[in-house]
């Protein structure tokens, strides 16, 4: 284990833990979500200095005993504008926009909006919001597309849990979550006269169960990492554009099955769900731990190195700033800025052309879904090891205990259907 010298350190929220860090993609700004109430503070890390710029929801009521869906419904959804110092925040039925001049309510938000997730389109002119505000029972099957200039709201595709743009541009990844399986969906964006539209693509990844966090791309566009799920502390990294799984691990003991023992639930809560970030160097993923150490994982090799950062205080959130530093939050309310380039054992630099080449290769190997396509029947799916199209999934009638749970369930459903014929 190695000790590292931090660039800057401060304590925020009166020592309350930070639940999540959301870094601006191009400016030295980040937002800290409070773990105790639906509130957040906005910070700058310009020139290696940490300075608070403002807050949203500081006077909101604490979460208290709220748990599960009641808790998640009050947790703010946040997204940064791709270019400007502008943060959108959806919480408890309201949408607020924060600028350096302060927070203001966003006009033209549908009155029935109860958004769980927000994302800007890559051009910054449109706000994507999920689920739909149309008030229907199946609102989760659609999203809202808000034109910020006109206030017009139109229907968008199903997605949830955030949207991440590939560093090569022209492509985003998001999730469509369900209890039995979660789809990692990819969509073309900004390539024609309708830059606000997400045009879903035929090739997708599939994960067991639900409860995942927003996927994150590496800066060179060669890897996609996903943290989850509802029944375990999984961490998976996929190669891009092949979607081949190149790294998988469980952060702690695997799920023992229901009913869950208290020791396992405590372990689940000890590991933050927002504890991963790619560094600026290719092939390096950083993982924060409940012991305050930061693990440098070499995805393409067996090497992993531990760095002592918070001196035993659990890491509650981790992010990478636009200037390449890691910003780390601890359970004691400490926020630390770390220059990972001086710490990383990887020396090779990134190829600036690689991100766009990866997007081009992926788009060339797939096609857009038609507007009336079904996510259940029209996708080509991979779990990072094997690939299935709709015909494959319709005929599978056997699965072993080592197969993914969603595939075992699909085989069982097909067997029932065959017996009913």
């Amino acid at each position: 284990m190695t000790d590292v010298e931090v660039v800057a350190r401060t304590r925020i929220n009166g020592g309350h833990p930070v639940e999540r860090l959301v870094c601006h993609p191009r400016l030295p700004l980040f937002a800290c979500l409070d773990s105790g109430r639906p509130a957040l503070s906005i910070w700058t890390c310009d020139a290696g200095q940490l300075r608070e710029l403002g807050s949203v929801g500081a006077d909101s009521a604490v979460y208290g005993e709220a748990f599960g869906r009641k808790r998640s419904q009050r947790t703010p959804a946040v997204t940064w504008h791709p270019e400007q110092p502008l943060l959108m925040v959806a919480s408890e039925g309201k949408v607020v926009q924060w600028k350096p001049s302060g927070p203001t309510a966003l006009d033209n938000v549908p009155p029935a909006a109860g958004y769980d997730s927000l994302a800007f389109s890559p051009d910054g002119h449109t706000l994507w919001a999920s689920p739909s505000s149309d008030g229907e029972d199946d609102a989760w099957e659609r999203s809202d597309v808000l034109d910020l200039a006109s206030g017009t709201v139109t229907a968008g595709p199903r997605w949830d849990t955030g949207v991440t743009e590939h560093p090569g541009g022209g492509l985003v990844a998001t999730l469509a979550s369900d209890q039995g399986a979660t789809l990692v969906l990819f969509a073309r964006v900004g390539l024609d006269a309708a830059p606000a539209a997400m045009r879903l693509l035929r090739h997708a990844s599939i994960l067991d169960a639900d409860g995942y966090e927003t996927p994150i791309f590496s800066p060179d566009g060669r890897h996609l990492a996903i943290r989850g799920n509802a029944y375990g502390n999984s961490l998976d990294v996929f190669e891009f554009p092949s979607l081949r799984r190149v790294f998988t691990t469980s952060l702690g003991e695997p799920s023992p099955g229901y009913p869950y023992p208290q020791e396992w639930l405590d372990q689940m809560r000890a590991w933050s769900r927002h504890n991963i970030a790619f560094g600026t160097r290719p092939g390096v993923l950083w993982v924060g731990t409940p012991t305050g150490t930061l693990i440098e994982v070499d995805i393409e090799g067996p090497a992993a190195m531990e760095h002592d950062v918070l001196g035993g205080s659990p890491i509650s959130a981790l992010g990478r700033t636009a200037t390449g530093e890691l910003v780390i939050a601890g359970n004691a309310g400490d926020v630390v800025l770390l220059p990972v380039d001086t710490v990383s054992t990887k020396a090779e630099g990134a190829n600036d052309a690689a991100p766009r080449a990866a997007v081009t290769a992926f788009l060339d190997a797939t096609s857009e879904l038609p507007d009336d396509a079904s996510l259940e029947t029209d996708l080509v799916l991979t779990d990072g090891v094997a690939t299935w199209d709709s015909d494959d999934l319709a005929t599978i009638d056997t699965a072993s205990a080592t197969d993914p749970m969603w595939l075992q369930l699909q085989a069982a459903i097909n067997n029932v259907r065959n017996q009913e014929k």
Side-chain angles (χ1 to χ4, degrees):
M1 183 183 296
T2 62
D3 294 331
V4 296
E5 184 173 349
V6 302
V7 172
R9 180 191 299 261
T10 190
R11 177 163 290 192
I12 68 172
N13 297 341
H16 295 164
V18 172
E19 181 170 290
R20 184 156 61 102
L21 293 163
V22 183
C23 296
H24 195 288
R26 292 177 177 85
L27 300 175
L29 302 170
F30 62 91
C32 296
L33 274 70
D34 193 325
S35 65
R37 69 184 69 234
L40 55 93
S41 56
I42 297 93
W43 291 73
T44 178
C45 53
D46 195 19
Q49 299 295 315
L50 293 170
R51 181 167 57 90
E52 187 174 7
L53 300 178
S55 63
V56 176
D59 57 350
S60 57
V62 298
Y63 293 126
E65 299 299 320
F67 181 74
R69 181 59 181 164
K70 290 183 179 180
R71 170 70 156 75
S72 65
Q73 285 179 321
R74 297 191 63 205
T75 302
V78 301
T79 186
W80 283 106
H81 189 280
E83 301 286 349
Q84 302 173 15
L86 167 62
L87 184 74
M88 288 293 187
V89 182
S91 179
E92 301 184 290
K94 300 178 182 179
V95 179
V96 173
Q97 54 183 349
W98 177 91
K99 296 180 179 180
S101 57
T104 58
L106 181 65
D107 295 331
N108 303 319
V109 175
Y115 299 134
D116 292 335
S117 300
L118 295 178
F120 271 102
S121 62
D123 66 1
H125 297 157
T126 304
L127 187 66
W128 296 329
S130 175
S132 169
S133 62
D134 60 17
E136 301 294 332
D137 291 340
D138 61 349
W140 60 274
E141 293 187 353
R142 293 172 300 283
S143 60
D144 281 356
V145 179
L146 287 76
D147 184 286
L148 295 175
S150 67
T152 302
V153 180
T154 56
R158 176 187 172 188
W159 66 273
D160 59 68
T161 322
V163 176
T164 185
E165 184 183 10
H166 191 279
L171 182 83
V172 297
T174 186
L175 303 181
S177 305
D178 212 337
Q179 189 171 13
T182 293
L183 301 175
V184 185
L185 302 174
F186 299 92
R188 299 171 72 113
V189 291
L191 299 178
D192 56 24
M198 273 197 280
R199 294 173 292 279
L200 296 181
L201 300 169
R202 192 171 300 277
H203 283 71
S205 293
I206 186 166
L207 309 168
D208 261 340
D210 59 355
Y212 294 90
E213 302 303 327
T214 304
I216 59 171
F217 282 108
S218 60
D220 63 0
R222 293 174 51 227
H223 294 103
L224 180 71
I226 304 176
R227 184 77 171 84
N229 58 48
Y231 308 103
N233 274 309
S234 65
L235 170 58
D236 293 289
V237 181
F238 299 88
E239 188 180 65
F240 190 86
S242 71
L243 302 184
R244 180 174 63 92
R245 190 171 63 208
V246 293
F247 181 85
T248 183
T249 189
S250 179
L251 305 179
E253 296 297 323
S255 172
Y258 187 82
Y260 307 118
Q262 187 61 47
E263 311 85 72
W264 185 79
L265 293 174
D266 291 342
Q267 172 195 263
M268 283 279 289
R269 296 187 182 103
W271 283 96
S272 166
R273 288 306 184 96
H274 307 283
N275 67 333
I276 63 171
F278 280 106
T280 56
R281 305 294 179 88
V284 171
L285 180 70
W286 297 87
V287 182
T289 75
T291 62
T293 61
L294 192 62
I295 302 177
E296 178 187 356
V297 179
D298 185 344
I299 296 168
E300 299 170 333
M305 180 176 292
E306 283 190 85
H307 305 280
D308 188 11
V309 178
L310 295 184
S313 176
I315 292 177
S316 61
L318 183 63
R320 187 188 76 247
T321 70
T323 49
E325 297 96 347
L326 289 182
V327 57
I328 306 161
N331 264 12
D334 290 327
V335 174
V336 169
L337 199 62
L338 184 69
V340 295
D341 275 350
T342 64
V343 175
S344 177
T345 58
K346 299 279 279 189
E348 64 270 27
N351 179 356
D352 291 340
R356 186 60 210 166
V359 171
T360 300
F362 187 80
L363 294 177
D364 287 346
T366 188
S367 59
E368 291 183 21
L369 287 174
D371 292 340
D372 60 351
S374 167
L375 297 184
E376 294 184 0
T377 59
D378 295 330
L379 292 174
V380 176
L381 300 175
T382 179
D383 66 348
V385 178
T387 301
W388 303 266
D389 61 21
S390 56
D391 291 339
D392 295 330
L393 295 177
T395 57
I396 289 173
D397 56 9
T398 59
S400 70
T402 58
D403 285 324
M405 287 302 300
W406 71 266
L407 190 62
Q408 296 181 45
L409 179 60
Q410 182 68 52
I413 292 173
N414 288 345
N415 275 319
V416 171
R417 288 173 177 168
N418 291 336
Q419 291 170 12
E420 292 176 347
K421 290 182 179 178

